[in-house]
Amino acid sequence: MHKQSSVLAMSIIGVLFFIFGFVTWLNGSLIPYLKVICHLNEFEALFVTFAFYIAYTVMALPMAVILEKTGYKKGMALGLLVMSLGALLFIPAALSGEFLVFLAALFTLGTGLTILQTASNPYMVLVGPIESAAMRISIMGLINKSAGVLAPLLFTAFILADIGFGVDLESINTQELAHKLISPYMAMAGILFLLSCFVWFSSLPDVKFEDDPYDKAGILAFPRVVLGALALFFYVGIEVIAGDTIGLYGQSLGMSNATALTAYTMGFMVVGYLAGVFFIPKYLSQEKALVLSALFGIVFLFGVAFSSATESHIITGLPDSVAFVAMLGLANALVWPTIWPLALKNLGKHTAKGSALLIMAIAGGAVVPLVFGKVALLTQDMQMSYLIGIICYAVILMYGLQWHKMTGWRKSWQK
């Protein structure tokens, strides 16, 4: 792309990444509300993340086909329109108080986000040198997670404006609490519709791919992509655990501000993205950043499991174990920005299908938190249940150390 087109693309995609973050990380605040409104236990409440993230697996390949037919710009506009519909579905969900209707609304939101993610991430890889792609995606991550910081704070402030921030949600009439969800999601639907129109009529350029020597090969012939999708599956799983269960964990400890705790995790992710913008690629390669992220994640998980649940952390003021859950955001920040360029390198015309495969891996956000919730329910020990995340970081570590070097299933490691 020309420099002027790249700046335009970065600006428009930046707006979209803000939307990704705001809509996605509302779930962390939504879960405690739906737990009360629909009378759910911790395991059932995490079906919120399942319904939202499973849409990425179910809809990724159909969305890739749509992108090939409509082009990236019109596809993004369509994705925003579908998200607007999903936000509107929260109205009948809130009026009925039925959990299944809430799940349908969340699935629809996830479907719209699928096409946006499938289109936008390759943009960030291809608008400049691939060696600095992680830096560009980190900039988008800053925008995304800044929205993630704002979303739970604004959502909580809006819902509890006339009730009081220290109130116990279970003391509020469930019908009244459900109806308070209508206004914010109506506003979201309107904003998403306007953004859809904006993208449709914008001059956002489409991505052009050059011919490549593997044009007739299937996407599964590229182990770097397949194993990258596996690493992203476990990454999204642990990212959602860090962002969306911190409220449940705080609630189990009797914390009054539990619904806003996701903002702490997002805040640490912002710090991690800033580090990525500063250090990559000048001081730190994408591969080394990925390895360090996995190692930090393992260390923080031990901090969650074996630190105090009552003593306050010196920096955050949260209980120590809750603070370590939030600090997982720091470990997670650079995983997504580094895996994407490593996985999509030299794919040529296969980039769209490679992107769709990586997007399907977001299903980890549906599956892994449910496993976490089931373990926590069976053991009645949410604090120690966080240790299952070590499996996630082990897979990420393997990708950073070896798997990203594979050029073929039967070939030796790339030197």
Side-chain angles (χ1 to χ4, degrees), residues 38 66 71 109 136 146 199 214 217 242 258 273-274 301 328 380 412:
C38 302
I66 289 175
L109 276 173
R136 292 191 295 277
S146 295
V199 172
Y214 304 102
Y273 281 123
L274 284 171
L301 283 175
L328 289 173
Q380 294 297 303
S412 60

Side-chain angles (χ1 to χ4, degrees), residues 22-23 26 30 33 84 87-88 90-91 94 109 151 154-160 177-192:
F22 200 93
V23 174
L26 268 182
L30 186 63
Y33 287 100
S84 179
L88 285 175
F90 271 83
I91 299 174
L109 276 173
L154 292 177
F155 185 75
T156 301
F158 193 93
I159 296 294
L160 300 180
L177 195 61
H179 285 186
K180 286 183 176 295
L181 297 175
I182 294 176
S183 295
Y185 279 95
M186 281 186 64
M188 185 189 300
I191 292 170
L192 289 169

Side-chain angles (χ1 to χ4, degrees), residues 117 121-122 125 137 232 336-344 355 358-359:
Q117 292 267 31
N121 285 284
V125 173
I137 298 177
L232 282 180
W336 182 276
T338 52
I339 288 179
W340 272 84
L342 293 175
L344 295 184
S355 177
L358 295 179
I359 289 299

Side-chain angles (χ1 to χ4, degrees), residues 42-43 46 245 368-378 385 388:
E42 283 80 2
F43 175 66
L46 287 173
T245 70
V368 180
L370 276 184
V371 174
F372 168 86
K374 192 65 174 180
V375 171
L377 185 65
L378 292 174
S385 298
I388 69 169

Side-chain angles (χ1 to χ4, degrees), residues 230-301:
L230 179 65
L232 282 180
F233 177 90
F234 284 102
Y235 156 69
V236 178
I238 191 62
E239 182 193 38
V240 173
I241 286 174
D244 285 0
T245 70
I246 188 172
L248 283 176
Y249 183 42
Q251 195 175 44
S252 73
L253 298 178
M255 297 180 64
S256 60
N257 63 336
T259 58
L261 289 176
T262 298
Y264 285 90
T265 305
M266 297 299 102
F268 276 107
M269 290 197 82
V270 168
V271 173
Y273 281 123
L274 284 171
V277 172
F278 181 76
F279 287 108
I280 300 175
K282 188 174 182 180
Y283 302 105
L284 193 65
S285 69
Q286 295 173 149
E287 297 90 333
K288 290 180 179 178
L290 185 57
V291 169
L292 287 174
S293 295
L295 294 175
F296 276 123
I298 293 171
V299 171
F300 293 152
L301 283 175

Side-chain angles (χ1 to χ4, degrees), residues 40-105:
L40 311 171
N41 60 37
E42 283 80 2
F43 175 66
E44 292 168 335
L46 287 173
F47 272 93
V48 168
T49 62
F50 180 85
F52 185 81
Y53 288 102
I54 201 64
Y56 285 95
T57 294
V58 175
M59 303 305 296
L61 288 178
M63 293 304 101
V65 173
I66 289 175
L67 282 177
E68 290 178 354
K69 294 183 179 296
T70 64
Y72 278 48
K73 184 179 76 170
K74 291 181 179 179
M76 290 183 204
L78 177 62
L80 287 164
L81 194 61
V82 173
M83 288 176 66
S84 179
L85 175 62
L88 285 175
L89 285 176
F90 271 83
I91 299 174
L95 291 174
S96 66
E98 291 292 331
F99 190 44
L100 287 177
V101 185
F102 280 112
L103 295 183

